Amino acid sequence: MLSVAVRTLRARWAAFVGSVVALAVGVGLLVVMGQALAAAAQAPVRAPERFAAAPVVVKGQDTVRVATPTGVRTGRLAHPRSVPAPVVAALRALGPVTEDRSFPVRVTGGPGTLVGHPWSTARFAPYELSAGRAPRADGEVVISGDWAGVGDRLGDGAVVVGRVRALGFENAVFYTDARAARLAPESPQLVVRADPAAVRAVVAGSGARVLTGDDRRLADAAPERDGEALTALNALFGTAGGVTAFVSVFVVASAFAFAVERRRREFGLLRTAGATPGQVRRTVLAEASLVGVAASAAGCALGGYAAPLLGDVVVDGGLAPDWYAIGGRVWPYPVAFLTGVVVALSGAAVASWRAGRTAPAQALREASVDGRTLPWGRRVCGAALLVTALATLAYALATDPGDLLHRKTYVSRPMLLITAVALLAPVLVRPLVPRLPGTTGLLVRANAVAGVRRTAAVAAPVLVTVALAGSLLGTTATLDEARAAEAGERTRADFVVTPADGTSLDGTALDRLRRVPDAVVSASSGTAVHTLEDGVALVRSEARAVEPALLAGTVRLPVTAGRVADLDDGSIVVNEEWAEHRVGRRVRVWLGDGTARTLRIVAVLATGTGDNGVYVSAANAGGAGVDRVDVRVRAGGDAARVAAGLRAVDGVRVASRAQWVAAARPESDRTARLGVLLVLGIALLYTGLSVANTLVMACAERAREVAALRLAGATGGQVLWFAAAEALAVVVVGALLGLLVTLVGLAGTGGALGLLSAPVTVVVPWAALGWAAGACAVLAVVSVVVPTAFALRRPARTPT
């Protein structure tokens, strides 16, 4: 059987080119994704940046530690504590102490992110002056880099008196120590020039940490950024790898099934010559093995070349740290190679079983009309998958609708429904093939319905592309609309005031805002609380610390139980995601600064899209500063006068309700957008390969049809138009099936939002669906017109 398979591949190489290319691309992508996941497995230990030259760094308490029966659980505080004053005084007795402060700086025309520091901390990086001098007065600053020159005046009135060479990890603006202390009163960490052992003895028991050596990196901004970036990359490449495996099996199985269907007479001849069904099956599997080995080897070579290129792309795009590099691992190659061979054999398994059932009488078959379009096995599998997809969707809606809003879920869930619809596609072809006008339209529909297997084989990859585009982009857009609507419904204020520098409002600014005539001012602070669920899991929840008496006048909350008006210093408002969310029950929480409190639940909010957080009183803010002020205009007051009075306060930014809602509209992060584009790119690539392969195979076997049309009087242009129209009709079938899958998925998302009491605005991405279907149509037309044009170059002869 192996020798027969080899001769078959030689004689029918065109029928297997598409499968080889598709499988090679899939194996190459698996190699790339494996290399990417291996590179993202563990972040290297970064060297200290801002404190590379600092002897000892003392960092205030920034984590909460809670003992549980299964060990100590830790969480990051929303508001790290400063080093206690008695500890600072004791450290000064050991040696010089330099307090560090960091705060955002906004300068029109400057780099996107600027951070301010005291000048005394510059030497710890170390920064060295490259031009000018150090700042001596409050209105003087030193900048890193060359985005401004010595003598330039910045937006806040400060004059640049010096520059230091940029070190790459931040864009810094250095103020005098006195000015920095007024801009950022809290000092969460400090540098001590003393013996580390003596420093540890002083700090012991205060909750602060002593950092030396490589541990000094923990005092840099966002020391966990590498781990977070790698987590995002793992999710991105893991999803792309899963989609690659799914579509590879899908395309290869479709290609082998169509090839076997086109070779019924050949298998009939083998049966007539005495071949047993088992020998025919082994022949098909041997062909698949040869294809799998050749394609997998080529794919490994392709993946090894492409992997470093992907690493450069994600680093240049800012999605990965500078040190991230893909390549050099060995294990992705054997894994991808074996996966490719298994995919080829899996894709051919069902086809081989069907080939073995070919009767010897098939050798005499002349009609090109498909016989039984859907075997009972395919009917059963398709129906079972369809029922499973719908049942699991209903189960998720009934038990955990929030799970349907997670990215991993709405990326993977459509695949089950896509497979079910693809298996049942031959049954759906007849009612979905469009009825075109004229004789050509009649021939197109008759030919598409007669060759239902060919039609289904071409429509299947179009279904994958359109369904994935609609499901991913539609779900993302639907969730964004729901979050935007939710934010608009929550905000009742006429104006929202925030700090211009992105930090917090001081007491003076708040007093001036409260003195604006006809303005009802409600200040709030962003914070977080931790709670212990099931006695073992320390869970963090974002929260707002508010003024309870004024909250109801400026915020509209989706309350499902209790009363928000009952909120006081001894209570809390939670949402339905909390393990304990019964009104009147008491819960143990740890505030943003780590303080432990036991609070009574007075109200419960609907889960919504997940942005309905926790509310506590200002007394439980955990050290957070006021970062938002909601303002209502009193009845009969002049909104324009109130707005003018608010804008007259220094250091604030005033937005109307409409402006605030528009600015708060959520946007997908870059990693999520890249993930969607990567998944859609993989689907479109495979669609092109599969459509081209199937149509080229079909055109090679339809030379007799072309000859018959020409002998019937059709011109070359009419034959090309007929071929293109049939290809477009098949693409329409696939697009309609993809739209059906999209609508079912979006209906599930809308149902989940409704059950979570979130606004429901289902968004069907018509433009994206149109582009996906249009791309498939172009690929299909080119794939059928080019070989048909070559067939027309041969003289027409009477079919025999």
Side-chain angles (χ1 to χ4, degrees), residues 576-745:
E576 292 176 331
E577 283 189 317
W578 276 46
E580 178 59 77
H581 56 266
R582 288 174 292 179
V583 174
R585 299 300 296 265
R586 305 185 71 84
V587 291
R588 183 75 166 172
V589 300
W590 287 261
L591 305 180
D593 62 353
T595 302
R597 294 289 306 274
T598 299
L599 303 176
R600 184 183 73 262
I601 298 175
V602 295
V604 179
L605 308 181
T607 302
T609 61
D611 291 336
N612 291 328
V614 174
Y615 287 83
V616 294
S617 69
N620 295 317
V626 173
D627 59 4
R628 172 177 169 178
V629 176
D630 293 272
V631 180
R632 286 288 302 274
V633 179
R634 296 184 189 275
D638 187 346
R641 283 188 57 194
V642 171
L646 297 175
R647 293 190 175 95
V649 178
D650 294 333
V652 302
R653 181 182 292 105
V654 181
S656 66
R657 179 182 181 277
Q659 292 171 333
W660 172 259
V661 171
R665 184 180 182 85
E667 295 183 358
S668 301
D669 61 85
R670 296 181 62 197
T671 303
R673 289 198 300 272
L674 180 61
V676 170
L677 293 176
L678 185 59
V679 168
L680 294 182
I682 292 171
L684 186 59
L685 174 64
Y686 272 109
T687 294
L689 292 172
S690 182
V691 167
N693 180 53
T694 303
L695 289 177
V696 169
M697 288 169 57
C699 286
E701 297 180 356
R702 289 169 59 187
R704 297 173 69 246
E705 293 181 17
V706 173
L709 287 172
R710 294 182 66 189
L711 290 172
T715 65
Q718 288 174 323
V719 173
L720 291 176
W721 166 241
F722 168 75
E726 184 181 353
L728 290 175
V730 175
V731 169
V732 169
V733 172
L736 291 175
L737 292 175
L739 177 61
L740 175 63
V741 172
T742 297
L743 294 178
V744 172

Side-chain angles (χ1 to χ4, degrees), residues 515-608:
R515 288 199 296 267
V516 173
D518 295 328
V520 178
V521 174
S522 175
S524 63
S525 308
T527 184
V529 298
H530 287 84
T531 185
L532 200 62
E533 292 188 358
D534 300 324
V536 294
L538 189 63
V539 179
R540 172 179 170 133
S541 299
E542 300 302 315
R544 300 291 306 175
V546 299
E547 298 175 289
L550 300 174
L551 178 63
T554 54
V555 177
R556 183 187 297 109
L557 297 177
V559 179
T560 60
R563 289 177 1 113
V564 174
D566 294 338
L567 181 65
D568 55 25
D569 293 347
S571 60
I572 187 173
V573 175
V574 303
N575 59 47
E576 292 176 331
E577 283 189 317
W578 276 46
E580 178 59 77
H581 56 266
R582 288 174 292 179
V583 174
R585 299 300 296 265
R586 305 185 71 84
V587 291
R588 183 75 166 172
V589 300
W590 287 261
L591 305 180
D593 62 353
T595 302
R597 294 289 306 274
T598 299
L599 303 176
R600 184 183 73 262
I601 298 175
V602 295
V604 179
L605 308 181
T607 302

